[in-house]
Amino acid sequence: MSKALIANPVFSEELGLLMFNPGQQVLQAFRSILDKSPVLLAPAPDELAVSGPGLVERAEPAKPRLSAGLVLEFFLQDAVAQALGGAERFAQWQGRADRCVLHGDDCIGCMTWSAGPWPVPLCWHHDNAHRADPLPAVARVVERKVLAFGLGRVAEFVGRNRASEVSAAELAWWAAAHGVHEQLPEALARSALGRQCASPDRHTAFGWRDTDARYDARDHIADLSEMVKPIRFEVDPEPANVFMLRPKLTRWQSEAYLKFVRSQPCVATGTTEAVEAHHLIGHGHSGMALKVHDLMTFPLCHREHMRLHNQGWQQWEREHGSQLEHVLATINKAAGLGVFG
């Protein structure tokens, strides 16, 4: 839930001012919410138009959920299974094989692992029965576990606390970093790119079947591949300049890396809105002539970016920690995610 202020404006043509009178109690609440943030003035939407002046609760729009069927289809592919860690990592995630996944404590005797790329613990009786004629119940258990395991691995990679928080874009991010984004189902790639699904089939007055899908000639997987190309970060151990007596140092610039930095949450507030790439200042790197390489950056929202420059980097670091630590954390995350290829 978010909060919104419904108020009637008063225009003062002589003073050139736009004024609101929300009342003293609402004014204090409104001030604590804004905290000097920019304000969006807009007519009240239809669902709030009936509300009187004052502070009101507003429901946030529901985020689209991942399709379990499409995600499972993606995880069950051999290349994706290997990227997730394969059967060994899957078995480790499940823990000790001391209970049958079908009947649990009701099963007695030796425990074993079912065959296949996604093994689950079974008692000897159900394992033999499953090998002779695959049991549908085992297949359903495997599908549930693979879905939970895979989304858990993706959530850990993108920094989410729960698997249920993973979005289609983050799943595509994980797939791109592990080189399996081309295995994504078309509908998942479309969702990751924020494109609407094709209209369902319909029939014309003459009974002919028609759909908008035939007019969408875009290759969503190819578009995703173009967007996730890694930054080429080649290392030359003996560059030509190192043999010069007085080499001229050049500044490393990469718009692709800055784009990655801007895609990360602000290190001060955690927001992902209006994030900018802040170049390290101070620590011997102040002044325009000494602007650091694009590698020495970290993500800051616009408000915190302005605060750092306006109040001074020393004061900002007392509140939010050393810039050097944020730079190192950003580089470390980029390297771990495969940004540098």
Side-chain angles (χ1 to χ4, degrees):
M1 299 292 287
S2 62
K3 296 184 183 294
L5 177 67
I6 304 295
N8 296 320
V10 177
F11 296 92
S12 175
E13 301 290 349
E14 296 81 5
L15 299 177
L17 296 176
L18 173 64
M19 296 174 288
F20 296 93
N21 184 17
Q24 188 63 30
Q25 184 176 2
V26 175
L27 182 62
Q28 294 299 327
F30 193 50
R31 179 179 295 168
S32 65
I33 294 171
L34 287 180
D35 189 25
K36 299 181 182 180
S37 298
V39 180
L40 171 66
L41 296 178
D46 294 339
E47 68 270 17
L48 298 180
V50 295
S51 304
L55 203 62
V56 297
E57 296 281 351
R58 185 178 186 184
E60 297 285 352
K63 295 182 179 179
R65 298 177 63 87
L66 280 172
S67 167
L70 290 175
V71 176
L72 184 61
E73 176 189 340
F74 175 60
F75 286 159
L76 290 178
Q77 298 182 64
D78 292 340
V80 181
Q82 291 302 315
L84 288 171
E88 182 178 356
R89 189 63 180 264
F90 183 61
Q92 291 175 356
W93 173 78
Q94 294 179 85
R96 293 178 57 223
D98 55 359
R99 296 183 62 189
C100 177
V101 296
L102 289 187
H103 292 170
D105 294 334
D106 292 336
C107 297
I108 59 175
C110 300
M111 298 298 297
T112 184
W113 292 92
S114 63
W118 301 110
V120 292
L122 292 173
C123 66
W124 65 269
H125 169 71
H126 287 118
D127 184 46
N128 287 336
H130 183 61
R131 291 174 188 273
D133 186 15
L135 302 173
V138 174
R140 289 194 293 270
V141 170
V142 170
E143 290 178 354
R144 290 198 303 269
K145 285 182 171 290
V146 168
L147 196 59
F149 166 70
L151 286 176
R153 294 276 287 164
V154 175
E156 180 183 0
F157 178 82
V158 301
R160 293 291 187 186
N161 294 324
R162 294 187 296 271
S164 59
E165 298 176 347
V166 174
S167 66
E170 289 168 333
L171 180 61
W173 173 16
W174 175 89
H178 291 80
V180 293
H181 56 279
E182 292 185 355
Q183 277 71 40
L184 282 167
E186 190 77 10
L188 271 181
R190 183 194 296 269
S191 179
L193 293 169
R195 297 172 179 173
Q196 295 182 352
C197 294
S199 301
D201 291 348
R202 58 184 180 275
H203 295 274
T204 67
F206 300 98
W208 298 335
R209 186 174 149 204
D210 192 18
T211 177
D212 289 337
R214 62 193 176 111
Y215 300 110
D216 187 358
R218 292 177 297 183
D219 187 337
H220 307 290
I221 298 295
D223 291 348
L224 189 61
S225 299
E226 287 296 320
M227 297 175 66
V228 298
K229 286 183 177 178
I231 301 169
R232 294 306 173 192
F233 198 73
E234 299 178 357
V235 176
D236 184 356
E238 295 183 345
N241 286 346
V242 79
F243 299 103
M244 297 182 181
L245 184 60
R246 295 182 178 179
K248 180 180 179 181
L249 301 182
T250 58
R251 180 170 169 265
W252 185 79
Q253 295 178 274
S254 173
E255 179 57 34
Y257 184 72
L258 295 182
K259 183 178 180 181
F260 162 77
V261 175
R262 291 192 288 265
S263 72
Q264 301 305 298
C266 170
V267 300
T269 65
T271 182
T272 56
E273 300 293 331
V275 175
E276 301 167 353
H278 165 69
H279 288 77
L280 173 73
I281 61 174
H283 301 281
H285 296 283
S286 298
M288 291 300 294
L290 297 175
K291 189 173 183 179
V292 297
H293 308 289
D294 285 348
L295 193 64
M296 307 295 288
T297 56
F298 60 89
L300 276 181
C301 66
H302 178 73
R303 185 181 67 175
E304 287 297 325
H305 200 178
M306 292 299 99
R307 284 188 61 222
L308 189 153
H309 285 280
N310 292 335
Q311 73 181 17
W313 62 271
Q314 297 94 335
Q315 174 62 29
W316 188 90
E317 287 192 349
R318 281 193 285 270
E319 298 178 17
H320 302 291
S322 171
Q323 296 177 84
L324 295 173
E325 293 180 359
H326 292 308
V327 167
L328 289 175
T330 304
I331 295 174
N332 186 59
K333 187 174 184 180
L337 294 177
V339 169
F340 299 128

PDB file of all heavy atoms in Angstrom, residues 233-255:
ATOM      1  N   PHE A 233      36.099  -7.310 -21.422  1.00  0.00           N
ATOM      2  CA  PHE A 233      37.067  -6.753 -20.477  1.00  0.00           C
ATOM      3  C   PHE A 233      38.364  -7.533 -20.626  1.00  0.00           C
ATOM      4  O   PHE A 233      38.760  -8.310 -19.764  1.00  0.00           O
ATOM      5  CB  PHE A 233      36.518  -6.883 -19.054  1.00  0.00           C
ATOM      6  CG  PHE A 233      37.208  -5.992 -18.061  1.00  0.00           C
ATOM      7  CD1 PHE A 233      36.984  -4.631 -18.060  1.00  0.00           C
ATOM      8  CD2 PHE A 233      38.069  -6.528 -17.117  1.00  0.00           C
ATOM      9  CE1 PHE A 233      37.613  -3.824 -17.129  1.00  0.00           C
ATOM     10  CE2 PHE A 233      38.703  -5.720 -16.193  1.00  0.00           C
ATOM     11  CZ  PHE A 233      38.470  -4.367 -16.194  1.00  0.00           C
ATOM     12  N   GLU A 234      39.015  -7.346 -21.760  1.00  0.00           N
ATOM     13  CA  GLU A 234      40.234  -8.094 -22.044  1.00  0.00           C
ATOM     14  C   GLU A 234      41.424  -7.479 -21.304  1.00  0.00           C
ATOM     15  O   GLU A 234      41.544  -6.259 -21.187  1.00  0.00           O
ATOM     16  CB  GLU A 234      40.489  -8.098 -23.550  1.00  0.00           C
ATOM     17  CG  GLU A 234      39.376  -8.768 -24.355  1.00  0.00           C
ATOM     18  CD  GLU A 234      39.610  -8.715 -25.844  1.00  0.00           C
ATOM     19  OE1 GLU A 234      40.622  -8.097 -26.238  1.00  0.00           O
ATOM     20  OE2 GLU A 234      38.800  -9.270 -26.595  1.00  0.00           O
ATOM     21  N   VAL A 235      42.278  -8.343 -20.809  1.00  0.00           N
ATOM     22  CA  VAL A 235      43.446  -7.907 -20.036  1.00  0.00           C
ATOM     23  C   VAL A 235      44.709  -8.099 -20.858  1.00  0.00           C
ATOM     24  O   VAL A 235      44.978  -9.201 -21.342  1.00  0.00           O
ATOM     25  CB  VAL A 235      43.548  -8.703 -18.714  1.00  0.00           C
ATOM     26  CG1 VAL A 235      44.814  -8.308 -17.955  1.00  0.00           C
ATOM     27  CG2 VAL A 235      42.315  -8.474 -17.859  1.00  0.00           C
ATOM     28  N   ASP A 236      45.466  -7.018 -21.019  1.00  0.00           N
ATOM     29  CA  ASP A 236      46.754  -7.069 -21.713  1.00  0.00           C
ATOM     30  C   ASP A 236      47.838  -6.916 -20.653  1.00  0.00           C
ATOM     31  O   ASP A 236      48.032  -5.829 -20.100  1.00  0.00           O
ATOM     32  CB  ASP A 236      46.842  -5.941 -22.737  1.00  0.00           C
ATOM     33  CG  ASP A 236      48.134  -6.018 -23.564  1.00  0.00           C
ATOM     34  OD1 ASP A 236      48.971  -6.896 -23.266  1.00  0.00           O
ATOM     35  OD2 ASP A 236      48.295  -5.198 -24.483  1.00  0.00           O
ATOM     36  N   PRO A 237      48.590  -7.981 -20.335  1.00  0.00           N
ATOM     37  CA  PRO A 237      49.593  -7.894 -19.262  1.00  0.00           C
ATOM     38  C   PRO A 237      50.787  -7.013 -19.633  1.00  0.00           C
ATOM     39  O   PRO A 237      51.515  -6.563 -18.742  1.00  0.00           O
ATOM     40  CB  PRO A 237      50.016  -9.349 -19.050  1.00  0.00           C
ATOM     41  CG  PRO A 237      49.743 -10.015 -20.358  1.00  0.00           C
ATOM     42  CD  PRO A 237      48.539  -9.330 -20.925  1.00  0.00           C
ATOM     43  N   GLU A 238      50.997  -6.766 -20.920  1.00  0.00           N
ATOM     44  CA  GLU A 238      52.142  -5.950 -21.349  1.00  0.00           C
ATOM     45  C   GLU A 238      51.682  -4.922 -22.393  1.00  0.00           C
ATOM     46  O   GLU A 238      52.014  -5.023 -23.575  1.00  0.00           O
ATOM     47  CB  GLU A 238      53.250  -6.830 -21.921  1.00  0.00           C
ATOM     48  CG  GLU A 238      53.883  -7.771 -20.894  1.00  0.00           C
ATOM     49  CD  GLU A 238      55.020  -8.576 -21.490  1.00  0.00           C
ATOM     50  OE1 GLU A 238      55.124  -8.608 -22.741  1.00  0.00           O
ATOM     51  OE2 GLU A 238      55.807  -9.149 -20.728  1.00  0.00           O
ATOM     52  N   PRO A 239      50.889  -3.925 -21.983  1.00  0.00           N
ATOM     53  CA  PRO A 239      50.459  -2.911 -22.946  1.00  0.00           C
ATOM     54  C   PRO A 239      51.648  -2.091 -23.432  1.00  0.00           C
ATOM     55  O   PRO A 239      52.691  -1.997 -22.753  1.00  0.00           O
ATOM     56  CB  PRO A 239      49.485  -2.054 -22.142  1.00  0.00           C
ATOM     57  CG  PRO A 239      49.928  -2.225 -20.720  1.00  0.00           C
ATOM     58  CD  PRO A 239      50.420  -3.636 -20.620  1.00  0.00           C
ATOM     59  N   ALA A 240      51.521  -1.481 -24.604  1.00  0.00           N
ATOM     60  CA  ALA A 240      52.630  -0.736 -25.207  1.00  0.00           C
ATOM     61  C   ALA A 240      53.083   0.408 -24.313  1.00  0.00           C
ATOM     62  O   ALA A 240      54.284   0.700 -24.223  1.00  0.00           O
ATOM     63  CB  ALA A 240      52.204  -0.212 -26.581  1.00  0.00           C
ATOM     64  N   ASN A 241      52.120   1.068 -23.625  1.00  0.00           N
ATOM     65  CA  ASN A 241      52.485   2.236 -22.819  1.00  0.00           C
ATOM     66  C   ASN A 241      53.400   1.902 -21.651  1.00  0.00           C
ATOM     67  O   ASN A 241      54.115   2.776 -21.147  1.00  0.00           O
ATOM     68  CB  ASN A 241      51.223   2.917 -22.281  1.00  0.00           C
ATOM     69  CG  ASN A 241      50.492   3.692 -23.361  1.00  0.00           C
ATOM     70  OD1 ASN A 241      51.048   3.930 -24.428  1.00  0.00           O
ATOM     71  ND2 ASN A 241      49.265   4.089 -23.095  1.00  0.00           N
ATOM     72  N   VAL A 242      53.387   0.638 -21.203  1.00  0.00           N
ATOM     73  CA  VAL A 242      54.187   0.294 -20.042  1.00  0.00           C
ATOM     74  C   VAL A 242      55.687   0.368 -20.352  1.00  0.00           C
ATOM     75  O   VAL A 242      56.521   0.480 -19.444  1.00  0.00           O
ATOM     76  CB  VAL A 242      53.797  -1.124 -19.538  1.00  0.00           C
ATOM     77  CG1 VAL A 242      54.448  -2.198 -20.384  1.00  0.00           C
ATOM     78  CG2 VAL A 242      54.175  -1.301 -18.065  1.00  0.00           C
ATOM     79  N   PHE A 243      56.070   0.323 -21.641  1.00  0.00           N
ATOM     80  CA  PHE A 243      57.476   0.385 -22.028  1.00  0.00           C
ATOM     81  C   PHE A 243      57.947   1.818 -22.277  1.00  0.00           C
ATOM     82  O   PHE A 243      59.112   2.040 -22.595  1.00  0.00           O
ATOM     83  CB  PHE A 243      57.705  -0.467 -23.275  1.00  0.00           C
ATOM     84  CG  PHE A 243      57.368  -1.921 -23.066  1.00  0.00           C
ATOM     85  CD1 PHE A 243      56.191  -2.469 -23.566  1.00  0.00           C
ATOM     86  CD2 PHE A 243      58.223  -2.745 -22.345  1.00  0.00           C
ATOM     87  CE1 PHE A 243      55.879  -3.801 -23.374  1.00  0.00           C
ATOM     88  CE2 PHE A 243      57.921  -4.083 -22.153  1.00  0.00           C
ATOM     89  CZ  PHE A 243      56.739  -4.618 -22.655  1.00  0.00           C
ATOM     90  N   MET A 244      57.046   2.797 -22.158  1.00  0.00           N
ATOM     91  CA  MET A 244      57.431   4.199 -22.356  1.00  0.00           C
ATOM     92  C   MET A 244      57.957   4.786 -21.061  1.00  0.00           C
ATOM     93  O   MET A 244      57.543   4.400 -19.963  1.00  0.00           O
ATOM     94  CB  MET A 244      56.216   5.006 -22.833  1.00  0.00           C
ATOM     95  CG  MET A 244      55.679   4.556 -24.178  1.00  0.00           C
ATOM     96  SD  MET A 244      54.277   5.571 -24.714  1.00  0.00           S
ATOM     97  CE  MET A 244      53.868   4.763 -26.273  1.00  0.00           C
ATOM     98  N   LEU A 245      58.882   5.728 -21.199  1.00  0.00           N
ATOM     99  CA  LEU A 245      59.477   6.359 -20.021  1.00  0.00           C
ATOM    100  C   LEU A 245      58.439   7.169 -19.264  1.00  0.00           C
ATOM    101  O   LEU A 245      58.367   7.110 -18.027  1.00  0.00           O
ATOM    102  CB  LEU A 245      60.647   7.250 -20.448  1.00  0.00           C
ATOM    103  CG  LEU A 245      61.427   7.911 -19.308  1.00  0.00           C
ATOM    104  CD1 LEU A 245      62.036   6.861 -18.392  1.00  0.00           C
ATOM    105  CD2 LEU A 245      62.518   8.836 -19.874  1.00  0.00           C
ATOM    106  N   ARG A 246      57.661   7.961 -20.005  1.00  0.00           N
ATOM    107  CA  ARG A 246      56.595   8.757 -19.392  1.00  0.00           C
ATOM    108  C   ARG A 246      55.290   8.494 -20.138  1.00  0.00           C
ATOM    109  O   ARG A 246      54.864   9.295 -20.968  1.00  0.00           O
ATOM    110  CB  ARG A 246      56.939  10.247 -19.437  1.00  0.00           C
ATOM    111  CG  ARG A 246      58.158  10.620 -18.591  1.00  0.00           C
ATOM    112  CD  ARG A 246      58.420  12.109 -18.628  1.00  0.00           C
ATOM    113  NE  ARG A 246      59.549  12.485 -17.800  1.00  0.00           N
ATOM    114  CZ  ARG A 246      60.006  13.747 -17.667  1.00  0.00           C
ATOM    115  NH1 ARG A 246      59.391  14.722 -18.340  1.00  0.00           N
ATOM    116  NH2 ARG A 246      61.025  13.993 -16.890  1.00  0.00           N
ATOM    117  N   PRO A 247      54.659   7.380 -19.844  1.00  0.00           N
ATOM    118  CA  PRO A 247      53.435   7.034 -20.588  1.00  0.00           C
ATOM    119  C   PRO A 247      52.297   7.988 -20.248  1.00  0.00           C
ATOM    120  O   PRO A 247      52.169   8.463 -19.117  1.00  0.00           O
ATOM    121  CB  PRO A 247      53.140   5.611 -20.111  1.00  0.00           C
ATOM    122  CG  PRO A 247      53.753   5.534 -18.754  1.00  0.00           C
ATOM    123  CD  PRO A 247      54.995   6.379 -18.826  1.00  0.00           C
ATOM    124  N   LYS A 248      51.490   8.271 -21.235  1.00  0.00           N
ATOM    125  CA  LYS A 248      50.306   9.099 -21.041  1.00  0.00           C
ATOM    126  C   LYS A 248      49.157   8.185 -20.625  1.00  0.00           C
ATOM    127  O   LYS A 248      48.791   7.264 -21.344  1.00  0.00           O
ATOM    128  CB  LYS A 248      49.945   9.843 -22.324  1.00  0.00           C
ATOM    129  CG  LYS A 248      48.715  10.727 -22.180  1.00  0.00           C
ATOM    130  CD  LYS A 248      48.383  11.443 -23.474  1.00  0.00           C
ATOM    131  CE  LYS A 248      47.135  12.305 -23.324  1.00  0.00           C
ATOM    132  NZ  LYS A 248      46.788  12.994 -24.602  1.00  0.00           N
ATOM    133  N   LEU A 249      48.621   8.449 -19.447  1.00  0.00           N
ATOM    134  CA  LEU A 249      47.543   7.616 -18.941  1.00  0.00           C
ATOM    135  C   LEU A 249      46.223   8.027 -19.589  1.00  0.00           C
ATOM    136  O   LEU A 249      45.916   9.213 -19.727  1.00  0.00           O
ATOM    137  CB  LEU A 249      47.429   7.756 -17.419  1.00  0.00           C
ATOM    138  CG  LEU A 249      48.684   7.383 -16.617  1.00  0.00           C
ATOM    139  CD1 LEU A 249      48.436   7.528 -15.119  1.00  0.00           C
ATOM    140  CD2 LEU A 249      49.127   5.955 -16.939  1.00  0.00           C
ATOM    141  N   THR A 250      45.445   7.054 -19.990  1.00  0.00           N
ATOM    142  CA  THR A 250      44.138   7.316 -20.583  1.00  0.00           C
ATOM    143  C   THR A 250      43.048   6.836 -19.632  1.00  0.00           C
ATOM    144  O   THR A 250      43.282   5.959 -18.794  1.00  0.00           O
ATOM    145  CB  THR A 250      43.989   6.600 -21.933  1.00  0.00           C
ATOM    146  OG1 THR A 250      44.170   5.197 -21.748  1.00  0.00           O
ATOM    147  CG2 THR A 250      45.026   7.122 -22.925  1.00  0.00           C
ATOM    148  N   ARG A 251      41.885   7.416 -19.776  1.00  0.00           N
ATOM    149  CA  ARG A 251      40.767   7.092 -18.896  1.00  0.00           C
ATOM    150  C   ARG A 251      39.911   6.003 -19.541  1.00  0.00           C
ATOM    151  O   ARG A 251      39.479   6.128 -20.686  1.00  0.00           O
ATOM    152  CB  ARG A 251      39.933   8.355 -18.636  1.00  0.00           C
ATOM    153  CG  ARG A 251      38.745   8.136 -17.733  1.00  0.00           C
ATOM    154  CD  ARG A 251      38.124   9.461 -17.329  1.00  0.00           C
ATOM    155  NE  ARG A 251      36.845   9.237 -16.688  1.00  0.00           N
ATOM    156  CZ  ARG A 251      35.680   9.278 -17.297  1.00  0.00           C
ATOM    157  NH1 ARG A 251      35.628   9.560 -18.597  1.00  0.00           N
ATOM    158  NH2 ARG A 251      34.557   9.038 -16.650  1.00  0.00           N
ATOM    159  N   TRP A 252      39.658   4.899 -18.782  1.00  0.00           N
ATOM    160  CA  TRP A 252      38.833   3.803 -19.293  1.00  0.00           C
ATOM    161  C   TRP A 252      37.369   4.203 -19.224  1.00  0.00           C
ATOM    162  O   TRP A 252      36.859   4.576 -18.159  1.00  0.00           O
ATOM    163  CB  TRP A 252      39.074   2.537 -18.479  1.00  0.00           C
ATOM    164  CG  TRP A 252      38.356   1.327 -19.022  1.00  0.00           C
ATOM    165  CD1 TRP A 252      38.732   0.558 -20.079  1.00  0.00           C
ATOM    166  CD2 TRP A 252      37.153   0.750 -18.523  1.00  0.00           C
ATOM    167  NE1 TRP A 252      37.834  -0.456 -20.273  1.00  0.00           N
ATOM    168  CE2 TRP A 252      36.849  -0.368 -19.339  1.00  0.00           C
ATOM    169  CE3 TRP A 252      36.288   1.072 -17.477  1.00  0.00           C
ATOM    170  CZ2 TRP A 252      35.729  -1.160 -19.132  1.00  0.00           C
ATOM    171  CZ3 TRP A 252      35.167   0.288 -17.263  1.00  0.00           C
ATOM    172  CH2 TRP A 252      34.902  -0.822 -18.088  1.00  0.00           C
ATOM    173  N   GLN A 253      36.705   4.152 -20.359  1.00  0.00           N
ATOM    174  CA  GLN A 253      35.302   4.520 -20.425  1.00  0.00           C
ATOM    175  C   GLN A 253      34.491   3.370 -21.022  1.00  0.00           C
ATOM    176  O   GLN A 253      34.946   2.709 -21.964  1.00  0.00           O
ATOM    177  CB  GLN A 253      35.109   5.783 -21.270  1.00  0.00           C
ATOM    178  CG  GLN A 253      35.756   7.029 -20.666  1.00  0.00           C
ATOM    179  CD  GLN A 253      35.588   8.241 -21.565  1.00  0.00           C
ATOM    180  OE1 GLN A 253      36.392   8.458 -22.477  1.00  0.00           O
ATOM    181  NE2 GLN A 253      34.558   9.023 -21.305  1.00  0.00           N
ATOM    182  N   SER A 254      33.324   3.137 -20.484  1.00  0.00           N
ATOM    183  CA  SER A 254      32.458   2.069 -20.983  1.00  0.00           C
ATOM    184  C   SER A 254      31.008   2.414 -20.666  1.00  0.00           C
ATOM    185  O   SER A 254      30.576   2.313 -19.511  1.00  0.00           O
ATOM    186  CB  SER A 254      32.836   0.722 -20.360  1.00  0.00           C
ATOM    187  OG  SER A 254      31.886  -0.271 -20.721  1.00  0.00           O
ATOM    188  N   GLU A 255      30.261   2.813 -21.683  1.00  0.00           N
ATOM    189  CA  GLU A 255      28.845   3.107 -21.491  1.00  0.00           C
ATOM    190  C   GLU A 255      28.093   1.835 -21.117  1.00  0.00           C
ATOM    191  O   GLU A 255      27.109   1.880 -20.367  1.00  0.00           O
ATOM    192  CB  GLU A 255      28.251   3.720 -22.764  1.00  0.00           C
ATOM    193  CG  GLU A 255      26.774   4.041 -22.683  1.00  0.00           C
ATOM    194  CD  GLU A 255      26.434   4.976 -21.537  1.00  0.00           C
ATOM    195  OE1 GLU A 255      27.266   5.849 -21.212  1.00  0.00           O
ATOM    196  OE2 GLU A 255      25.337   4.830 -20.965  1.00  0.00           O
TER     197      GLU A 255
END
